[in-house]
Amino acid sequence: MVINSGEQGSNVSNPTKRIRWATQRVTGSNERHIRQSILDRFQHRKTTSSEKKRQSGDTSHLDGITEEPEESEAGHGQDPSGRRIYFNIPLPDTAKDEHGHPVTHYERNKIRTAKYTPLSFVPKNLWFQFHNVANIYFLFVILLGIYWIFGNPNPALSSVPLIVILFLTAVKDGIEDWRRTVLDNELNNAGTHRLVDWNNVNTSEDNISLWRRIKKATTHSIISTYQSWSFKRKGSAAGSKNNAERAMDDRPSIDTRRSHRPSVFSVQSRASEDGIKMTPVPSPQPEAGHHAQNDRLAVGDRPPTSFSFEHEDNAQTANGQPPQAGKPGKDFVPKFYGSIVDPFKQVSGRARFKSDHWKSVQVGDFVRIYNEDQIPADVVVLATSDPDGQCYVETKNLDGETNLKVRQALHCGRTMKHAKDCEKASFVIESEPPNVNLYQYSGVARWTQRDIRKPEEPGTEMAEPISINNLLLRGCSLRNTDWVLGVVVYTGQETKIMLNSGITPSKRSRIARDLNRYVIYNFVVLFFMCLVSGIVQGVTWAKSSTSSDFFEYGSIGNGPAMDGFITFWSCVILFQNLVPISLYISLEIIKTAQAFFIYSDTFMYYDRIDYPCTPKSWNISDDLGQIEYIFSDKTGTLTQNVMEFKKCTINGVPYGEAYTEAQAGMQRRQGIDIEAEGAKVHKQIAEDRVRMLQDLRKMHANPYLHDDELTFVAPDFVNDLGGFSGVEQKTANKDFMLALALCHTVITERNPGDPPTIEFKAQSPDEAALVATARDCGFTVMGRSNDGVILNILGEEQEFTVLNTLEFNSSRKRMSAIIRMPNGKIILYCKGADSVIYSRLRPGEQAQLRRLTGEHLEMFAREGLRTLCIACKELGEEEYQTWNKEHDLAAAAIVDREDKLEAVSDAIERELTLLGGTAIEDRLQDGVPDAIALLGDAGIKLWVLTGDKVETAINIGFSCNLLNNDMDLIVFKIEDEKLESAEAELDRHLEGFGLKGTDDELQVARKDHSAPGPTHAIVIDGDSLKLVLENQLRQKFLLLCKQCKSVLCCRVSPSQKAAVVRMVKNGLDVMTLSVGDGANDVAMIQEADVGVGIAGEEGRQAVMSSDYAIGQFRYLQRLILVHGRWSYRRLAETIANFFYKNIVWTFALFWYQIYNNFDVTYLFDYTYILLVNLAFTSLPVIFMGILDQDVSDKVSLAVPQLYRRGIERKEWTSLKFWTYMLDGIYQSVICYYMGHFLFAPARFVTSNGLTINDRPRVGVFIACATIVVVNAYVLINTYRWDWLILLLTAISILLIWFWTGVYTAFPSSLQFYKAAPQVFGQLSFWAMILLTAGVCLLPRFAAKAFQKLYLPRDIDIIREQVGQGKFQHLDRYEAYVPPGKLPSAASSEVSEPVKPHQQGGKPLDDDERPMYPPSVANTGTTHNPRSQTGSDGTDYTGHRRSLEQPPRPSFDRPVRPSYDRMRDSMDRIRPSFEASNDFTSAALLTRLESSHSGTPTRRTLHGSSSLR
């Protein structure tokens, strides 16, 4: 709205004035948590925003809402660092420096997420690599070797291992960074249309320095060379990305990959678009352009799907002159909004829109964006192709949502269409500074309004507020709008998407963190080995009267102390292999291979969206094998996010047939055969579907009714709609469907065809399901007219004028539409949460209807359905006009606009008349219950953290096997929100487990990894969770949760989700995994040790921040129980064997030093020392980490208990490390002394008279034996002996013989020359190898045999059973099928397929959903018959039956099997939990009746709610 001192209020309602609150977030406690979470997570500067307190002292009556004086509009509450952007107005002197350039410098729109440039890659990559301690150590060793004094025989050769490792790591880093660079370039070079040949005073041309020119030239030359090479190699044919490239993208491509559908506005091509001149496209002919413009702007040709914000008559005139009169027949004075176009401004006319790169866009630029294009920067909308100034954007890249959002052009800019209009526009935008809040924006446009009739007058100062509704954010995509014209306010790193794209925390696996400790142990061992060598050598040279006096010419150090010092550092070079530098690169290779196997697993491939399981972090696969706690979102993670209208209650009569997961779960707990029951029910539903379709077509030949899309199966509804049960019920049914067809913000798209189809685009899938059901029943939304909505009601088209739409937000929990009916009446339709609607009903009326509707909603909720209430109210003309004036004032407010609109809306949404209620099913994903059961058998605890209500969470808990009938359900709810009350409640529950919450109990809990018994579960809401997460209560709450099988946290914010994960991860010292699908799950995904994103059909925000991305929740069981367990066990065994083999080799050298006074003489040839880790022993241990399997994937899933060893972290322990170290020391003794004692008594004269007892040849004896022992030892520790492992082991062993033969064949090997034929020709050599291998490996072999025979582990028993053929039945399946993994008895796929129009639906965050979840928990099964105290899981002893059988006239209805079946089921397991725990049951709804009806008070004007 525009504020002008001369503005006159309207006396008559203006059609379709809509304020879209769905894209604004009302400030509240949850919002503060979310904002603080984002600020903390991304570490950007914080912006403060105090919450407006709704207290009686600072509120005013409705009539007291007044517009603010203009002084309060200008940047009210803005940070001093806010920006002023000038358009065609010279900068003031204060905004320029001494050279006349702007003082303020804005970020370039070019972004770079890559770490390196071509010039900085080598130094920067080396800098990062040498943050690794092992690399620094080996560089130090190489530098030591340069000095001959330390005895390195070949310093150059000694650098080869480090160079190889640095090179391979650099190649890997370079490939990863090149991919980021390609994506950056793709984004920066994307096209947009920018106004050129005009003066943008806000920026000046960059002075490019010489260094930057060099960098750019280098980059361009490398890119050009690569592109030329690629073109020659691939040819000119260009193809689309395959699924591998798409899945591995870290950031979504600028190509949305969405099929282009003609805009709902478009009847012409872009080339003929209302005369808009583009470069280099020539302008249309004047006649054609004029014709196109007239066609486009004619009111009669307005698109049927557009929303009207104001009537066409209300638009400002292009010449700056207020309109004088409305259309004929209109008796109101249109409002004048003004225009930023100065009609008297002289312009050059040279400005034009030109296609340019994103990176060229600057703050203050005019840009034109076309349908399906992405937004290049944060842009304020000035004009759109729609006469009402509306456009639609998809924010998938921003927040993961694919539902369309409506954005509005500023009223003052809606006449702008051409480049010349941009030249004439003179205005200033005062904007808040850049911040991370995606849902709020504050700014104001200011200009001088000139009157064309009075050119001599200076004009009037005018202003228009700018909100998030007027802002298009970078990364969003324009949809269903031909074009948008706007100005840029934020660019590059200052855009909201970049401020929110914080770097995903760098995660290291637990083994990797522990590895540093064990490497330090090796450093300590190395230090003592070198210290002993230095001391002994120094002491030896200090002795006199030794043989060295006759044979040596003095020591190198010329003194014992210096001799010992030199020896110390020489031993560092000699024993360098003790610190395994190759271990790090080997682990990189292993983890990369494991990531590839995970990605290539076809059993985790989701073909519906062409998405495999995609590792985003390759270095934490072993953490997947140690997960003890899983934290899961509900909506979209456990459920499908496909909303299907199933049931409703109208005028006290229930309609609809369905058999849900929750109902099947309830019957399963009653001992009913759900397979047989499900088949019977589905057969009945299929018959009813056929009958309903026949009756509908008899009533009306609806061309938009498609058999496969019908989800609401209710033949009795069709009968009643035709008058079977009387006129009253017929009228009620019609009014109910009218409410569904009129009270919404759905966008329609009509697709011609035979038959034609109508597709609904809604801001939530729930809303689309309601409108689709109305369509199926004959109340079809055809589109929007100038003034409202066109409906086809049973074959007759009628137009309904939409006067106002009061949209949903998280505090209102409802939405309303004020409609002028064809007969002239004004009706308010309202839908929302049952508790909210019941509190606003007209008091003293509809008592029987309220009770029946409440009972029906309770039963619907028991079936796991999301319930909603529908109500209406007839408004008098005077009542509406009075309210509408106040609404106009609130909508025009710049300060506290949302609060005032909410107060005004609350005032009209009272004294309602109840129509009925709806029930929508958000079905579980396929396989969720079985996956949860399987994970539970593995010892993994699953917590559900959701933004939905308590009742919904409990329903889902029963549906997916988290809760069962034998559990005591602890509902933790602190009414007074005091810490003392929370502590008392915690103490009371802890006492039941014999705990007090002490530190000692916490230490015991940290060591106990066993799963708690299935006796208790906790349900807690967000307000109570906030209390127990305080420091003084956190430990007690954690201990209480530790005793419970399941924990469900409801109504939690993203920051609370992260806090819960952090509490468990740090408090219990366990491995955690978080899984979610939306932007509200990013915080907990990044907080957990492993984050998993569900890459569903609704966006990729969670995926972009995750470590692993999967298509469905059920794939989690394979990712964890198969790949996770394999990876953990493989890596643990690989590291242990790596340390072992280095110990054997190094200590063999050490034992030799004893016999040469530790003078650092090399027993082995120096090439052996360099190649031992690179070639002779690397392959077996690396492929052990890549390919080893103890059992197959099918057996891993069939016996999930095998996973518990990972939870208890028994595969990699300090005991295992030291066991392998001691075993290595033992084997090094055998390896050395076998050779030593072989040569000690004999001279070994060969047949040609030459001896082979010199040091290099003795070294061949010992080295070859050591290599055989090491590789055979690794083979013994490998579970799976296939041809590849045996081949690699043989190659590694033979490689030392091969190298010795080749290397010693050349004279350059000096004294090593001809050593191979001389040594290999001796029988003693082969005999010693066999004997050494046997003696070395015998203890390990004996220990393994004893352990497997007398102390078998679970895996040993299972492997024996596999060998006995007890798991052969699994071979019948392509992949393992868990018990019970059959088509669900509750699945509706048999009778009702998924509705295509819902596939594009994307839910909002849980606490932003317009359609609310089940009102009543599925807690009738909380009674625990095994409880010794007779408790039913609650603290209430005076239970009453809230749903005693009342007399129901509807019982006589002929077709109500679903209702009667559910009613009978409820009667058998009488619940009393809801009535005693303030659930929104029928009993609670009775207490809530009309609590918000009556005369509005000063307090309730602000939208307060008794349940808020």
Side-chain angles (χ1 to χ4, degrees), residues 10-30:
S10 174
N11 296 323
V12 178
S13 63
N14 297 325
T16 324
K17 283 176 288 190
R18 319 190 58 207
I19 300 300
R20 285 167 174 77
W21 292 351
T23 54
Q24 292 184 347
R25 186 169 286 185
V26 175
T27 305
S29 59
N30 281 349

Side-chain angles (χ1 to χ4, degrees), residues 236-247:
S236 59
S240 60
K241 286 187 176 183
N242 57 29
N243 76 67
E245 294 170 325
R246 179 166 63 255

Side-chain angles (χ1 to χ4, degrees), residues 2 940 1034 1174 1241 1264 1324:
V2 176
I940 298 174
R1034 187 183 305 152
L1174 284 180
C1264 290
S1324 57

Side-chain angles (χ1 to χ4, degrees), residues 386 425 534 566 575 578 730 1206 1261 1339:
D386 180 48
I566 294 173
F575 303 141
L578 189 63
K730 176 181 178 179
F1261 273 80

Side-chain angles (χ1 to χ4, degrees), residues 407 502 560 584 622 726 1107 1163 1307 1316 1336 1400 1414 1440 1455 1477:
R407 293 293 183 263
Y584 292 94
D622 50 294
D1107 303 304
L1163 173 62
C1336 286
R1440 66 181 179 86
V1455 181
N1477 285 270

Side-chain angles (χ1 to χ4, degrees), residues 635 641 643 766 808 866 1403 1405-1412:
T635 305
N641 267 335
M643 306 300 174
D766 312 65
F808 169 88
R866 302 163 62 90
D1405 289 351
D1406 289 329
D1407 53 341
E1408 287 188 347
R1409 284 181 167 274
M1411 306 310 149
Y1412 271 75

Side-chain angles (χ1 to χ4, degrees), residues 594-649:
Q594 290 173 347
F596 174 75
F597 290 150
I598 290 174
Y599 175 74
S600 303
D601 191 340
T602 57
F603 297 119
M604 293 191 293
Y605 172 74
Y606 190 36
D607 56 354
R608 187 171 184 176
I609 59 172
D610 187 26
Y611 204 90
C613 178
T614 306
K616 301 288 184 178
S617 299
W618 293 9
N619 61 336
I620 59 172
S621 58
D622 50 294
D623 278 352
L624 288 170
Q626 307 169 69
I627 300 300
E628 186 170 353
Y629 283 85
I630 293 178
F631 301 91
S632 174
D633 181 37
K634 183 191 73 69
T635 305
T637 303
L638 299 178
T639 60
Q640 295 184 14
N641 267 335
V642 176
M643 306 300 174
E644 296 181 347
F645 189 107
K646 293 295 185 183
K647 297 187 177 185
C648 66
T649 172

